[in-house]
Each structure stands twice: as structure tokens, then as C-alpha cells.
Amino acid sequence: MGSSLDTSCYTNEEHTHEGGSPAVSRLSVEESVILPKVTLRVDNNNELTQTSKTQRKESAGGRMEAFREDIGGDFSDSGSDGNKDIGLKQHGVTERRRAQNAKFNSWLVINTRNYTTRLLKRSHRLSTRAERVTKEEVRAAAASADDDQLSIRNLMSKQESTVIITDPREYQVELFEKAKKQNIIAVLDTGSGKTLIAVLLLRFVLDQELEDRALGKRRRIAFFLQFAVLECNLDQKVERFCGDMGCDLWKKEEWEKHFKENMVIVCTVEVLYNCLMHSFITIDQISLLIFDEAHHAKKNHAYARIIKDFYLSENDHTKRPKIFGMTASPVDARVDVIQAAKELETLLHSQIATTSDLSLLRMSISRPDESIAEYKKLPPPYETSFCAEMKSKFSDLGGLSKLFQFAREASSQLGEWCADQLWSFGLADDEGRKVERKAERLFLAEKDARSIEVLDVEIAQLREAMSMVKNHSFVTPKTSGNSISSKVLLLQRYLQLVFEKPSDAKCIVFVKRRYTARLLGELFARIGTPHLRLGILIGTRQGEAGDVKVTFRQQVVTLMKFRKGDLNCLPHHSETTFQATYIMTVENRQYVCEVILPQNSPIRSAIGRPSPRKAIAKRSAAFEACMLLRKGGYLDAHLLPTYHKQLPAMRNALLALNMKKSNAYDMRVKPDLWEETRGTIPQVLYLTILELESPEGLGRPCQPLALLTRTSLPALPPFLLHLNSGQSSQVLCTSVKFSLQVTVLSLKKITSFTLRIFKDIFAKVYEDNPPQMSYWLAPIVRSRCKDHTPEHPDALLDWAVLDLVHSHDEIPWTIETPQSQLANRFLVDRWDGGRRFFSVGVVPGMQALDPVPTDAAPGKYMLNVLDYSVSLFAKSRARATWRHDQPVIQAYRILHRRNWLDKIDEKEKEQKTLAFVCPEPLRISALPTDVVAMAYMFPAIISRLESYLIVLEACSMLHLNVKPHLALEALTKDSDNTEDHRDEQIHYQRGMGKNYERLEFLGDCFLKMATSISLFSQNPDNDEFEYHVKRMLLICNKNLYTTAVKSRLYEYIRSQSFSRRTWYPEGLKLLEGKGHKKTGKEVFKHHLGDKTIADVCEAVIGAALLSHDGTANMDTAVKAVTALVASPDHAVSRWDDYYQLYTKPSYQLAQASASQLDLAAKVEQKHDYHFRFLGALCARLGFHKHLRYNSSLLEFQIRDYVTEVAEAEQESNGARDYWTAVKNPPKCLPDVVEAYIGAVFVDSEFDYLQVERFFKMHIEWFFEDMSIYDTFANNHPTTYLNNLLTITLGCTNYRIMANELPSIDGSPIRVIAAVMIHNEIIAEGTASSGKYAKVKASSNALELLKGLAPFEFRMQYRCDCTKGAQEDEGLGKTMDAVVGSAV
């Protein structure tokens, strides 16, 4: 009996998905552990022993040794090219880790022994006792979209879409010319075209800016301080911002992005002032400031602050922006006009200017006609009969004082009907509740505490007033008598005349009070004409009693409707708690207590005996209740319930997987496609053209190659290669539609070319056996490489090169060979497989026996050029004879690099490649250098192509149609601790591309959703606990792992980067080269953790979800879930199948009551359908008002939370994270939101778009900028500990390590974690998973470190990570002396 941890590399496989919050876990720094080969075992005598084992030498390792050849030079084709520096790097990086691991292991042995002893004792006691898009497209979409679906920015774009500059008038040109020369304030009447002048000036400034940028001057940007739309009138990119867009919360990076992308910013003045104040932009980066309504620039207005605080602080006048102000009047108050104008000019450093010929201005604009209408004298304010009745009953209610005041004023100004109607606004359901909450807040805020009965009476009176208003019959407004005032009546008659018939006329009625606008809107809706289309415009500030809160966006929509003519008149301006409730009364100077049980209890209440003390009376009532329950058979003799809920049998099943990588699995290195198509001589071949998208980065010409296969390859995505120059290029894989008919001769030529590639470039000589070849290579004609669809596919092939290579094994050299034929050749060393050269040409005057130039790449023999050219060993060199009169060729040695999928190392870049060689010892290949340049990249290319084919075969095995790049990402594991997010990666495999982590996160989410829907549909009578247990069995790692092992999915996982051993073709017999002595097919193994395999399953689901080509079709992901959970509880293949499984329960089929229908109608008003955050959302939507409960405690909790979150929202000034600053809500509030979403989802027949619509309408706004929640996330203990150590205390030598504890007698798996600082363990924690164990250990460590000053920390833990450590010793002595003297 025992627990074996027999592994070469321990990896913490715990993942954030099981019960964790990704938003928190993504910032956590959690270290994993590297253990040596250790076995912990419990012996028969219950002693825990530790033994170290040497690493077993795998058979693959032996084969690697056999792979080596006795060839000289540095040519080696074994191992992973991408990891040749990993050994050295890991040695340096992990030296400290080894010491930490050793310390942790010894500590672990002791703690494991103690834990096991406790576990054995506990087990013994138990046996003894009982036996987890483009801009244009966006604009087009905005133009056709519903206004309610558009953002504020798009709404503003939509309301002005025409070019305003047509033919500027003379006075506009005049002012434009002045503005070009100096700062001016253009004073023109409203409607005279001041914006046109501003746009002309903008164009002028932008042209200058483009010229300045071309000269290399600093980038500058123009600001138009008016929320207007200019993008249709300027060639350059324009963006608009206002405070309601949330830009006040943006960080500098976001602003820099907008400043870089745009040349003009249109915004409100506060937005610019905040940017300047926060140094997001400086005044010298602004080229032009356009002030609209410039007369506001006085006192503390933002215009004035910008000038005073930033414009004047720039001493260099050439760096100040040009200023252009616009106003209809330079003054807006009763002041000295001349003095005010001079002050405005001084403040804005501008000169007031207007047109020199005012007659032109008068001819160009049409002034509105002004007329004065007289109405009868209004009566003094009085109380209507209804108001008097309300006052007689509720005059002493402070919460209604403003309503009484406003109603009295309205009786005079608007008439009796409006005065009475005001009460329906002020005491409507929502407004009445506001008055109630306000009364409660004021009562609780009073310093002199009053009896709670006073508040109860006030609330009761308020509710009576609400009921009285609700039941009052408000009369229809009449145009006679006192129903409407003479002032309103005159306005009504005028509107009737204007809108008697359909008209394009528009009207704005200006009022002083917001409630007046609302009352007039209601009134004219009743007595107006059919052609009067009303709206109200009342601003966005907090309203008064009876007011309605309107957002900025709603105001924008209202203005748009008014402009388009849709409107033509604007009056402007917690769950139920199952606890007993005790009620205490006093009778005859003694306490009598009544206990009230929850509503569904068999006994509702019991009364105890009179007692002199409250505590005894309470106990007496509880005793009487127990006696009644006992008599009814609800309690047994031990006063325990006789009814027990039957819990699911598998609720405590052990479903966790071992966290360590302990199993070796078979690994596919070649796709089945090759083996399935081998064995016959092909009659047709299919071309896949391989070419570089950016071949210039290679540094020399290259010729595309064709990969010829027996079957057509699927469409494969481009992928990145890293070239020797340090640049990169995409490899394009283009399949040619038509097949190539091959003859015996043409097949021989293609085969010769392919085998020559392997021989000359890669030192591999294969037998000439076409039936056993997996694929062929051929050169592509350069002129046809861009056009891959000719009438005859063979026209793509470069037959001249194929003929040359087929007819010549090499290009022979003799002393008579012209020197020109030695230029631009591929030279091959006959004896050293690692020496290959690209020749430049013969060096005039240099001879074979001349010394090797000093700038040449180092070689084994450097006596002279001839000696440098020969790679034979000493004995063979002594026997060889060479001509001394042969020419010397300048060449460049080809870097022996295979893994082009990874970036080239700096060390490789610095290698010398210049060489000087003689032709006689070398072989001149018949392969053109352009072909060779491309062929050198073929190992990396074919390795990636085969990976694509392998993962596609895995998807095919699961009957899934997944995009190749997503399939490869889902099945890629690039390090031994891939699962440990944010950790330092161990044994990282370079050049593999993206790993499965991101897709795993997405797949995990969809897996939970899909299985939840399936279980809900098939088990309508289950409760949430049963759903949870059944879903746990489906989605647990153990089930996914079991399914994956049965289907052998582990074979398809890509866990190793490019390898020199595995890219060569299979099927052909190797005659010469490394590995030619091998016999039989080699079996490759890779080590995978059980949880890794389960995580890959989730990643495959994520890849299937993203492979739906932009549509809402999720059928592929549904099929993936079915294939990987392998359970009858999820046996669907299409999304629509879910609803077909669903059977409505009886309560859904029963006839709805009037109360239920009324509730549904009220909820529909909040969301039109015919978590901590969710609590805030519930309050925001008002769902809590419709929650039915019978608990005064819960009512108080809900009211208290809703009040707090409403106040937080009001005081947040638009901040979207206001909900994080309040306490946790009663659980029933987030539950009701989740339940509502579930109800919408089910009722819509599982239409996911309805859920998405709810999210976009009510949730997305909060999370558009996740960066605002960084502080909220940083409260996570592990993240907080990391920040404390690294930032505050300056320590970098720490780790959080974890390991599983042994399980005895099937006890649940436990994980112990420890925090180690400078090789000393300071805190520990134990939990059911590694993640929670680390959280506990971090929390315990924080308790120890709390309050330590940095120097105290460094002294206590001997931390030398910062320079301050050198001064701590002296500081410590000084403090000791100070403390000693104080004592």
C-alpha cells in the first residue's frame, strides 16, 4: 500500500478552470516543482521511506547513440535542433532550482511521514468504530443598423454623413485667411458657417503637418473641442470622444494608440483637459486647438484651465498650437462688452475677428423671426383639491415636501391637470420606492436615534400615499376652466396651428424645470394633433422629484430622431434563509417568546413559557417547537429529522488525476496518409507548391518547390519560417487543382531530383524505389510560380533542371574547366557531411598553397587553402594527391541549420561563413543554388506539414471538421509544465507555435455549458446538486483522460519540436548516412501527464468551436463534446438536438396565474424578451423587486445591498467597476439573474443568440476594459504575495511549490504547498488541489510578512536580491544601539 511519485519531472497539473476565476488566476505567480527521480512508499511497518533512482536510459536514447557515425566534422542529424542551447541554458537557470528542490524534498519527506501517520491512525479509528473589420464596413453596418444597437460614437457618426464644404462664401474665406496668419476668435451669428471655416483651417493645418512629418519633425495632432462629426469632410482619420464613452478611465497606452492612428480628435473640452493633466499628451504635440463657444473661456472653465495651465507654460511660442475660437457673441452676461472682449482676447491669446462686410453676412444667413405672444395673467400658486387632500393626510412627511412645492407651482404655471399629474410621476412604483429608501437612509443617518416604530409609521404613510395616487382617477385634460393654464393653452393652440397637417416644421419648447418638460410631453400627447410627434430633452444630471433619469446616449438618440423628423416637438431642457425567527413579548413583567419556523416547515410556530430572562424564554419556545415536531413524527428520539435528502451516489467520487508526468505513450511522427498511399507506381500526382511569401529576407535567390503526392493534400494554412538574416517569412502552401499525369520517364526524373536533394544536401542516400516513396520534390518554373492554375500542371515544373539533375550525378571538374562555371555553384564535401558551400567565383591571383585568409571561417586544417579544402583524416590525407595549380574559389559555408521554425540564435548569426576552397577535393552538385536555397528549408516545412496532417487525422478519427491551424494548436504541448500558466517553462520546445492553453480555456467553458444543457434537457426533475454531480462525472479530467486513452488520442499530441531524426521520409531503405544500419520500424515515445491528455481534449473542443467560419453554428463543438465525454448523458451531434431532448415539467405546462403573468410582464419591461457582479446587475435591472420571499431578514439584506450598490453607481461618475467597492450581495440576487437567463435560454428553444443579446445589453458594458479590474484581481493571495515580495520587499528568490500527499485506503487526494524564500520554507498549506493549497500557503505567508519593513525582511530572511542588502547590516547595528540606549 502506498503512493508512488515515480517521475523524472513533477508538474503541477492543477488548472484555474476548476472552481477558479480566470480573471484572478491569470495574474497569479505560482511556481511548479521539479523533483528528482524520487519514490515515496509506505512500507508494511507503516514507515515512509525515500529512495533515489537513477534515470533509466530509454531505448530511444540507445538508438540515438547508434545513430552516430564516424564521419568527421560537426554534421549531426540527431536530437532536436530547436533545443540545442536548452541544455546550457537550463543548467544555468535551474542550478538554484535544484537546491530548492532538494530542500523541498527533504521537507516533504518529513511532512509526508507525519501526514501518513495521521492518516493511518484515522483509518484505524474509522475501521474500529464502524467499518472541478474594416472602417468602411463598420460605417456601412452602422448606417443600416438600428439606433438602439449602436454605440455613442457610431450614433454621432450616423447623424452627420454629408460633406459640409461646398462653396465657401467671401466672409468665410476672409476669416479663414486671417486664421492662417494668427490666432483669432471668429464672431459670427448662429448658422453663418463657423464650422466650415474651422474645417478649412483644419485642412490647411493637416497639409502642413504632413509636410512636417515628411521632413522628420515630431508628430502633432489637431483638437476640435466640440462633439461634432468631421470625418466625412476631411481626408485624414478623425476620431470622436466624450466622457460618456468611458474614456476618462483609459490608460496612456490606449490614448497613445488613438493619437498615433488619428490626425484630428473631436472631443469635449474636459476630455482634452484630462489628457493634458494626466500627461497623455503635451501641449507641444498639438498643432491646432479649435474652441467652440469660445466665450466660455473665463474663470475656472476648462477652456481657461487649458490656456493657463498648459498653453502658457510652454515658453517656446513656436511649439504652441494655433488657436481658432468660434462664438456667436464674445459675452454671455450683463457686463462691459468692450472689457469682456479684451479679457477674452487676452485669455485665449487671440484676436476677435468678424467679417468686414456685414451685409454679406446678412444676405447669407436667414435669421429667425421673433414674435411675442401674450397670455392672460396667471393666478397665484394654489393647491388643487387632490393636492389639498394629500396635504391633509401627509403634510408632515418630509419625503413629499418637494412634491407639494412643485405641485403648487405647477397649478399656476401649467394648470391643475399638470399639478395633479405630477403626483403620478413622483409616487409611481419605482419613484415611490426611492422615496422610501431615502426616508430610511435619512432615519438611519440621524444622530439622535429615534424608535424604529417612527420609521415604520413613515413608511406605512408613504405606502398609503402611493396607494392613494395609484387609485386616484386622474381626469382628462380640458382646454377650458383651470385644467390648463392660459400660458400652456396658448402654446397648445400655436402647436395645433403649426402641426394641423403633416409638416416638416420642427419645434423646441424651452422650459426652466425638468419636470415641466415631462408634464408638457404627457399633456400634448393627450391634447395635441395627430401630426405632433413628441420627445423630451432634459439632460443627464440627477433629476428632482418626479423626474426621470435619462442617459447621454438616450439624449443623442432623441436628437437624431428630431433631426430626421421622427420627432418634431421637443420640450427641452438574497435567498430564503431557513432560520427560525424569535418574537419576544412582555406579559406580567415576564418574557414570553414565540418561535416562527420557515414557511415550508410542518409546524409553523410554538410559544414558550413565561420566563424572567429573555434567554430562558427563547430556549423554552425552541423546546416547545421540538416537542411538537417530535409528536408529529418529524423528529426521532434523538431530535434528529426523520426525513433525509437522498444525495447522488457519486457525489464523493475520486475523479482527480495524478499531477505528475509519469507515463510514456506512443507518438506518431508521420501521418497515416504516407503509408496508406505507398506500394504502387503512381499514374498521377498532385502538386502542392511551397514558396516563401517574402523570399528577399533569405538574402539570396530561391526557387519554389513542388511537393508531389499520390493524393491531393487538404488546404493548409501558411506558417512562419525564421530566416538566417533574422527576418521571417510565411511559407505558402498552394494546392494545384488539376492532377499531373506522369510517365515512366517523367517519374524517373522527379525521383532522381528528390533523391539528389537528400544526398547532396542532407547526406542521405536512399534506394531508388518509387513504389515506396511517400512524396516527391520538383522545382517550379520561376515565371509560373505566381500562377498555379495553368491548363497543363506539368507546365509549372522546371523540366530543364529536372533533366540536368537526372543526366548528371555531379558537374565534373578538370583543370580545363572554365572558371566562369565555378561561380554560383553548390559545393559538397565528399567526406564531411556538414561542409556545404555556395560558391561566389574564382579569386584572381590566389593559389592553392597560399595561406588561408584570416577572415575565413575556422576549419580543422588551416595550413593553406588546399589543406583547408580537404576534410580527410591524417592517414587518408597522406595518401591523397592533389593538383597545386588548381584555382581558389571564394565561397560561403552554409550554416548547418534545420529548425527554421525557430528564430536563429545570436551565436549562429555571429558565425563566420566566408571560405576559400579548391574545387578538386569537393563535388560540384548539379542542383542549382536557387533550388538548394529553398530545399534547405524543406526539413522544417515538411515537419510542419506532417504535423498538420497528423492532427487532422486525429480530428478525422473523432469525426470532426476542424481547421488545420486550430487543430495543431489544440494538440501542441511545448513544455513539461505547459499547464502551469505564468510559470517559467521547463524544457521548453522552441519553434512549435501556439500551445493548447488558450483553446483549453475556451473548450472547458463550452464543455461545461454543453453538458449542462444536455443534463437539464434529459433530467427535468433533477435539482441543481444532482445536475452538478452528473456534470462533474462528464467533464472531469478522469473521464476525458479515459476516453482519450481508448481512442489513442495521445499518439497525435505534438510534444516535441522539430527533430533531425524524424523529418526524413519513411518507407525507403537508407543506404548511406546516419542510421543506415538500423533495422525495423522505430517506435517513438513521449511522456505525458494524465491531466495533459485531459486538457488537450478540452482544447480540441475549443478548436471545434472556433472552426465554424464566423457563423453561429456550434454543431462541430457539440460533436466534439459527444466524442470526448463518451456518455449517454451527452449523445447529441447538433445544437438543435438539445431542445428535442427537453421535456417540459408539469409546472411549466400548468396555466399561469394572473400574478405570474403580471410578474412576467414586469420583468419583460427590464429585458424585452416575448457571482458578486450578478448581484449588482440584479439590482441594476430591478429584478430584486420581483423576487418573492417571506423573510424580513432577507428583505433587509436585499434592501441594504440594493441601496448601497445604487449609491455606489451614482457616486462613481460613470466608472464601470463601481460594484467592486460594495459588499457581497445576498446569494439570491445573482441567482435570480442566472435563473432568468436560463429561463430565456430554455424558452427560446436553446437559442444562444438570446443569451448573447442579454449579455450585450446588460453585461458587456462593464467588462469592455478589463484593465480597470487589475486592483480587484490583485487581492488574490498568491498574486498579492508575489507583488509584496517582488515590488515592496525587492525579493526575487522565492517559489511556491506543491506536491501530492499519499492516499491511504482510498482517502481523497490532498496536496501540500509551501512558500520558500531563499531556500527556507516559511509557510505551508494543504487542500484538495494544488491551486487551493498554494492559496492557503500564500495566505499563511502573508500573515508572517505583514508589517515587515524591507530592511527587516532582508535581515530576517538573509535576502540579498537588492543593493539595499549591503547597507542593512550597519543599519541593524545602528537600530540595536538606538533601542539599547532607549532601554
Side-chain angles (χ1 to χ4, degrees), residues 66 409 432 817 821 890 1056:
E409 293 176 1
T817 301
Q821 293 188 12
Q890 180 183 342
Q1056 295 181 8

Side-chain angles (χ1 to χ4, degrees), residues 202-236:
L202 267 172
R203 288 183 172 180
F204 170 75
V205 171
L206 293 181
D207 288 342
Q208 282 189 327
E209 172 66 13
L210 291 174
E211 293 179 3
D212 290 345
R213 292 185 185 183
L215 296 174
K217 293 184 180 180
R218 187 178 184 184
R219 173 189 293 267
R220 303 180 82 190
I221 193 169
F223 278 84
F224 195 127
L225 301 183
Q226 174 193 20
F227 205 61
V229 179
L230 301 175
E231 58 186 346
C232 295
N233 308 289
L234 296 174
D235 296 333
Q236 304 301 327

